[in-house]
Amino acid sequence: MKRDRRERVEDLTDPWSGVDADRLARAAKEQAERVVPGIRNMGSYLASQVSDVSHREVVGPLLDGEGASGVVVRRDVVLASWGDPGRTEMAFSATKSVLRERLMEPLGASTGWSWHGYADSAVECDGRHLPVVSGGAHWGGGLWISALDLALIGQLCLRGGEWGGRRLVSVRWIEELWRPCPVKPNYGLSWWLNDHRTVWPGAPSTGRCARGNGGGHLLWVDPARDLVVSSRWGAEVESLLAEVSAAIEPAPAA
């Protein structure tokens, strides 16, 4: 039977429309048990990540990991969570540029996130001593942020850079994030694109992600499902994405 227009509009606003709640809950429970090993001692964990000891010295602050955590967000509602999604964690390369006044405050982020540079890496700019952006936290430092706050960035991208009636990021910038690179079609501007399922074969081709530490930190955005998944210190994230995506139907084609 054909549904009327009002029903279709309600489906597009109801975050639970087309969601298998039981399957989603199972996916969250299973991910809580898949923890990246060794993270409770960040110094030894980082040492194990780089084999070349000639540049292994830690030059930024460290934050020990607590365990797997994350959230599944759809249409501004947290549908599932695991671990402590409000706990601040090192983000590695999951997201590489965040601005407090321009982005995080308008998004309503917590005050728990922070950014840390390297002790030996700074430049002089107009008389100011500015730390240089650190690379992925492999030598310490970087962005420290919770799964909940990281999910806000994903929601902003999903909305094309608008939030609460304000434009925080240009449409062109979002387009560039997700534009395939000519020399590596599954990579955009610091985002991985799953269009051909070469990044995560078990996840939908409609998704794209910012990931760090081999996926141990993940921000996944799927416009077809109006979906954001933020995962911290979780192993086997492809299984998480496959299960969550299977539990949430994509929106019908326009």
Side-chain angles (χ1 to χ4, degrees), residues 4-5 16 30 41 53-54 58 60-61 73 85 87 102 113-114 128 133-134 146 148 150 154 166 179 186 194 212-213:
D4 64 27
R5 183 176 179 182
W16 288 99
E30 290 170 359
N41 185 327
V53 296
S54 67
V58 172
V73 180
R87 174 181 160 80
R102 185 170 177 178
W113 73 276
S114 57
R128 298 177 62 192
V133 175
S134 48
S146 70
L148 285 168
L150 189 60
R166 292 177 56 190
R179 188 188 306 280
N186 65 355
N194 207 40
N213 201 228

Side-chain angles (χ1 to χ4, degrees), residues 172 174-182 184-185 187-189 193:
R172 184 179 177 185
I174 302 298
E175 291 174 346
E176 288 301 318
L177 291 179
W178 297 344
R179 188 188 306 280
C181 172
K184 193 173 182 63
Y187 197 62
L189 185 60
L193 315 174

